[in-house]
Amino acid sequence: MSRWLTEGLLTHKPTTAYPARPESTAGISPGLPVPSSELTGQALEQLVSMCRVGALSKEKNTLGFDDGRCIHCMRCKGKSPKELEWDDSYEWARLTKLGEKNLAKLSASFKASLYIRTIDAGACAACLTEISLLAGPNYNMHRLGFFMTPTPRKADVLLVSGPVTDHMRDHLLEAYDSMPEPKRVIAVGACAMTGGVFGPSFTCAAGLSDMIPVDVVVPGCPPPPLALLHALLVLTGRKQQAEKIRALGSDRS
Amino acid sequence: MQDSLKEFISANFARIELQEHKNGQTILEAECQPGDLVEFCRCLFCDQHMYYAMLVVEESAEQWIIKHVFYAPSGEMLHVLVRLPLAQTILPSIATQVHAADWHEREAEDLFGLTFEGHPRLGDFVLHDHWPEGTNPMRSSFDASQSLPPGKQASDWQPIRLLESEGSFAMPIGPIYSDVSESALFVLETVGEDVLRTIPRLFYKHRGIEKLAEGQKAHDVLLLAERFSGTASFAHTLAFCRAMETIGQIQIPARAQSIRLFVAELERVRHHVSALAKLCASTALAVAASQASILEEQMLRLSCKLSGHRFLFGMNTIGGLSMDIPEELFRQVLQESQEVGGRLLRLRRKLTRTSSFLDRLQDVGVISQQDARAHAMLGPAARACGISMDLRQALPYGPYGDASSLHIPTEQEGDGYARMRIFFEEIQVSLQLMKDALETMPKGPVAAENADCGAGAALGWSEAPGGGTFHWVRTDEEGKVLRWRLGTPSFANWHGFHLAAEKFAFQDFPIILASMGLSVAESDR
Amino acid sequence: MIVKEILIVFFALCAAGSVISLLTKKAHLVISIFGSLASVSLVATGILGLGLGKPLNWSQWSFPIFGQMHFHIDGITSILLLLTGVVALPVSIFSNGYLQRYLGKYSLRSFGVMYHLLLASIAAVFVTWDVMSFLVSWEAMSVLSYLCVNFEHRHEENTHAGLLMLVMGEVGTLAIAISMFILGSAGGGLDFESLRLGAQELGPGASWAVFLLSFFGFGVKAGIVPVNTWLPRAHPAAPANISALLSGVILNLGLYGIIRMNLDLAPVVSVNQGLVVVITGSITALVGILYATIDNDMKRMLAHSSIENIGIITAVFGAGLVFSASSDPTLAGLAFIAAFYHLINHSIYKALLFLGAGSVDARSGTRDMNRLGGLIKIMPWTSLMFLIGAMSIAALPPLNGFVSEWLALQTFLQSATLSSTSSTLVRVTFVLCGAALALTAALAVTCFVKAFAMSFLGKARSAQARSAKPAGGTTRLSMGILALTCIALGLLPTYVIPKLDESVNVPRQRHAVESLVPAFFRPQDANPIMDKAFVDEFHDLGAQVGKGLLPGRGLVVLHRGQARNPVVFAMSTSYTVIVLGLLLAMVFLLVHLFTRKRTQKTRAVWAGGLENLPPELTYTATGFSNPVRVVFNTVFRPQKTETRHQNVARHFRSAVSKQWEVVHLADRWVTGPIVHVLDKLAHLAASMHSGRINAYAAYMLMALVLVLLAGHLFT
């Protein structure tokens, strides 16, 4: 065992400085497009037609962008005649209306420590990989007072990924009902926000907002760990939420 | 190569019609009457030692076309075809002889409403009990866009329990269990400490992507192929693109082939590192789990540097790749990957010297070679039982060309430790492949000029990190997908999972689960 | 003396009960009336007997062959009579409701007759004071208990169990008779006073023979390993009320015999004989609890647990014999008190548990703990009483089992203070046996956590358990009496110990009470026995605090009177209860204060998202005890364990099974081989029966010749 102890001690600390300082290492985020008002006319039409998931849209001759639908398919990246701006940051999480209301009456204990139950409601496992990395040394959410728990009975936050398949719906509701008050819900990724590429359909719902009240949404497919960390910080009022500008689509709250 | 098989069939099964289709790829089709099906398939599987890939059911306007796809390590591929009038929904089950077809037939029974006569265990499978009776979502008459009214999960669901001992009971694990886990239910039958049988109940994550794909443009289906199983996304898109490229007879530029190989191997490394991280975590070896987790994150960042996406989404397109990557970046990625490989070797050395870790892996979750073959298990799980099957070598495709010299690591024990060694070995093999690919990488375009496909049908396959994956695609004239059938490695390996999870102590369950390296999303689709 | 008269009233009530049972259809009612009255008179006899001060002897009736019948009541007898009465009273009340299940199936009349006669014969065993009447009462008790156990005689298993009980009992009686006759012939008479004289005349060889014969002879009835295999078979066969009597009273008869012989009539003087008792007792205790833990039949589990408790009593009694032989009378007195205390406790809580098990059996139709579960919702009262019994037997404070088991283990620990003259053998034995008893105590907790949790908590695992009905009034009343007795014996050890000391240690003329329950609450100057400095020290420590408030003398203390730092151990269940009660009340108060503003929500158990956890997916009794089975596999040595996986169509699993068969240790090593040898001999004898007349004529001739030869040789 001492071998592992020395091994652990000798490994340099890989933990990110976020949220104290922004993280800028390459490869931490796939980025999201930034809609700019400069795009017009045919270039705009072309861009919108490239987007197969309806994230880019034409709104009064300007480019609209719905971050809940974007799945980083990269088809709009570097393809349009006029370069679409691409944002490599990761602070994407937003509060819903309910989330904003709840944030005001947030109890102090939530800010110190928060227990999280993750639920896979039909995710492709990429989201889950990113969530499980949160507890790894690179992101080490424990230092910020966030912990995973196996039972919703002890959980403060439900982290739901996936479009909510028909088979998982009742189990998700059961878990939500089992949580003690006060409770919060984070919808992780495009699937949980809008159903992503899968829903709504005969097997999947259009995300979980129809089923349980959602406090924070994190766009991305999958949202990288730092975006998830941001979401948790936004939920506890320790970070500002993403600017609204990105969410020109309807606000799902 | 196919000749000996052809001779064998015409000599022994005179009534079976053999046809050869040449549509970019050569497909040998053996059409037989329902009456001959079972004996013929048994002969292929048991006597000719062919492998079972998957069952493809197609519903055309006037008839059912039901194909059992077999392949052999020597490169032969055979589709055993049965045609039935639409009104007839009963056909013989081959699962009693070809056990590998068991779950495929059960799935078809649920999704198409076909009845496989003689199958010992049909019923609640892909569609759980609460689906209305007679709902067969894969039938063409079913509207996939409709939202079904939320069905209430049957609260009186009972697993089929087989353990007959005084005081036996079952322990449920899931569908929501552990800290972060994919949703699946395991019912462990036990009399106390020793678990004697495990019943996995999957398809909690069934998203019906085969149905969703129907009528969509191939480029849109590609998004589904990419995202139904995020942990092996590149391998699945590769198989899907290859099927489409075969249909459209699209020539892939040499550079694209080379990059595809590089990226596919990169994904394999990342997948295996992730599996190893889970395995270390399951044995509660915190330092090793952390080390592996750091390496996993490093591989994800490398993937992102290379493709812009941490899980390599959006890279593959029909006809090649969506982007070119500068030489310099490749070198950097290769170099960093090799660093990861070096650190993995170090981790492996430490792990194999930790007796408390080995004790928990050795002789745990043992699968015999015979059982693994009968269940048509694939990938590292099968190679740990001594089955040297790898599609890169057996059915060399696209970037692999002639890969007969490929080193395929195999182990004989079939236990958790053997599977761990396979993961470690394959990472080193993949790193070597990446290095070779980069050395010989030609210059040129990365995508075919014209990537339009017409009508046709083809099978695409690739060796995903978890094992061989098969994508069968049929398109219409506009290039819309009519039928997309997936045979994924996790589906095959979950079928054999119960073999590893018999006769073990309860606390070994997470280890067995982690050592198999299975994905629920890939199986549930 | 009035004691004698009340005892005669008791016998008269038993006789009346028998006769009236014969005349009426409602024998169950007769039992509950006459049985209860008889029990009450027995209680009165016991209480008055305790007050006698010195033994009461009288002779009555002379029979041609047996001679004069002698009777005797002393402290030991009184305590056991009292105990018998206290157990028989609730059992008789319980019988009223319980026996109605047999109406129309078996003859309740005969049961009534047998029941009353059984009570009478039990009391007779205690009070007779000569070999012949003792043996007659003993035999009557044996046969009557056999008849009662075998009441449901239409089940073949019951008949087998009964026969085994009878046969083993007879072998035991034979051993007892021989040992008594050896003593009698040495003492020149068959009354017990002569036996006592005879014991002093015996040489070491004969003394060992008497000791071994009587110990294992009585041991059969008491249930000592390895002569106890009848016990776990008889209990499930017997009706619940008889089971309660069997464990609560009849096992005590065996112990009574051992105690009477080794403490009184032929006192053990050799340390080694004491060690035999200690070792046998410890093994009995460990084996008993091991089999109890893995058994899933409620009554058989309780039977195995009886064996365990008898083992503890025997071991502690043996420790007393060793201390006594090593001339440490205070420690010996302590051990005897512990043994008697445990004997009393065991009778009470075991009767309570058997009544509970019987009530569960009667109301749900099964005793299989794998098939029970969730009964607390249906039978809350029975569950509560059973819980009290289970907590007592698991030796949880503040109940009675804790007090006696604590005394017992402390006694074993005191072996360290034995004088240096004692051999290494003694020390090693005490260390090992003490460890065995500690393990036993730990396993007992496992065993009864399982028994209570698997039967009463969780979900019902069968239709029978789901459709159970609550127990009737008489059942509740009878169990309530026993449960209250458990609590009283647990809370008030300081009142019980002096009584035990008086009665048990009287024959030995030594008292241990001042060592255990010192009169600290008496005024400082009114402690004549103890050193004044010691009393002062205690008073300084605050022994007088709350003397008006706390229930009398609450502290059990073992001290070495004059030494510095005199206290060896101290314990008080009554104080514990008060402190615990206050703490609990405080916790409840605090919780209430802090959470009154919060709303509470009750939800089903979280089972990974499954909405309803089917009972098939919850732990069974087998599953709960399986770790014990695995760990002690070398003891159980299952005859066969087999795991099979069956397939259809080659690879489809169709059945998985795991079978194992456990044969009891004593059966495997002792009874089994003996039966085997007897079987062989019987076959040999059978070959003599050829069926030919001339052969039989030859046998007769040979026998005649042998008799004549023998006559010639020995005269």
Side-chain angles (χ1 to χ4, degrees), chain A residues 3-4 7 11 27 52 71 74-75 117 120 123-124 129-130 139 165-167 169-170 202-203 221, chain B residues 126 130-131 146 150 153 178 183 203-205 207 219-220 227 230 291 297 309-310 346 350 354:
Chain A
R3 202 185 297 141
W4 286 109
E7 177 79 12
T11 314
R52 302 298 306 161
I71 56 169
M74 313 283 172
R75 290 182 186 181
R117 170 69 243 188
D120 166 17
C124 68
T129 308
E130 302 287 39
Y139 300 100
T165 57
D166 186 48
H167 290 168
R169 183 196 290 117
D170 285 355
F202 70 109
T203 50
C221 181
Chain B
V126 176
H130 66 279
W131 281 70
Q146 66 178 317
Q153 288 270 341
S178 176
S183 298
F203 300 101
Y204 281 96
K205 296 167 64 167
R207 285 147 291 172
H219 276 87
D220 298 340
R227 281 164 166 80
Q291 302 264 333
E297 172 66 18
H309 194 281
R310 287 159 64 90
R346 189 181 148 80
K350 289 224 178 295
T354 308

Side-chain angles (χ1 to χ4, degrees), chain B residues 9 55 70-71 75 118 198 224 246 253 265 303 365 490 498:
Chain B
I9 294 168
L55 169 67
F70 288 87
Y71 63 101
T198 304
L224 286 173
T246 312
E265 297 306 326
S303 309
S490 289
H498 73 97

Side-chain angles (χ1 to χ4, degrees), chain A residues 15 158 188 227:
Chain A
T15 311
L158 212 56
V188 174

Side-chain angles (χ1 to χ4, degrees), chain A residues 86-124:
Chain A
W86 201 265
D87 170 20
D88 276 335
S89 79
Y90 41 80
E91 291 195 329
W92 298 340
R94 284 188 288 110
L95 290 160
T96 60
K97 275 183 192 145
L98 175 76
E100 271 165 9
K101 223 181 327 172
N102 277 343
L103 188 64
K105 51 180 180 183
L106 189 75
S107 83
S109 58
F110 262 32
K111 293 180 183 170
S113 101
L114 201 67
Y115 276 80
I116 303 160
R117 170 69 243 188
T118 310
I119 294 193
D120 166 17
C124 68

Side-chain angles (χ1 to χ4, degrees), chain B residues 46 95-97 99 102 119-121 152 155 158 161-170 172 174-176 191-194 196-197 371 374 502-503, chain C residues 296 368 370 606-614 616-620 622-623 626-627 643 645 648-660:
Chain B
C46 300
T96 51
Q97 301 300 328
H99 188 63
D102 170 18
H119 195 297
R121 204 168 292 139
K152 187 78 184 144
S155 55
Q158 297 262 320
R161 291 186 48 205
L162 298 182
L163 182 57
E164 306 156 339
S165 294
E166 190 215 324
S168 69
F169 64 105
I176 299 167
V191 284
E193 291 296 279
D194 310 324
L196 296 170
R197 178 172 175 259
D371 280 342
E502 273 178 350
K503 297 186 210 164
Chain C
N296 296 325
D368 184 356
N370 279 332
W606 169 253
L610 294 180
E611 214 170 318
N612 276 330
L613 198 59
E616 289 79 6
L617 300 187
T618 59
Y619 251 84
T620 59
T622 309
N626 204 41
T643 310
H645 287 87
V648 293
R650 297 206 297 182
H651 291 286
F652 288 95
R653 289 266 180 277
S654 62
V656 181
S657 66
K658 182 167 183 159
Q659 307 293 339
W660 64 91

Side-chain angles (χ1 to χ4, degrees), chain B residues 282-320:
Chain B
S282 75
T283 58
L285 198 58
V287 178
S290 297
Q291 302 264 333
S293 169
I294 294 173
L295 298 180
E296 185 188 359
E297 172 66 18
Q298 200 172 343
M299 290 309 297
L300 281 166
R301 288 180 184 179
L302 281 180
S303 309
C304 190
K305 269 188 220 173
L306 193 73
S307 71
H309 194 281
R310 287 159 64 90
F311 292 86
L312 301 163
F313 290 179
M315 189 147 195
N316 252 329
T317 61
I318 298 162

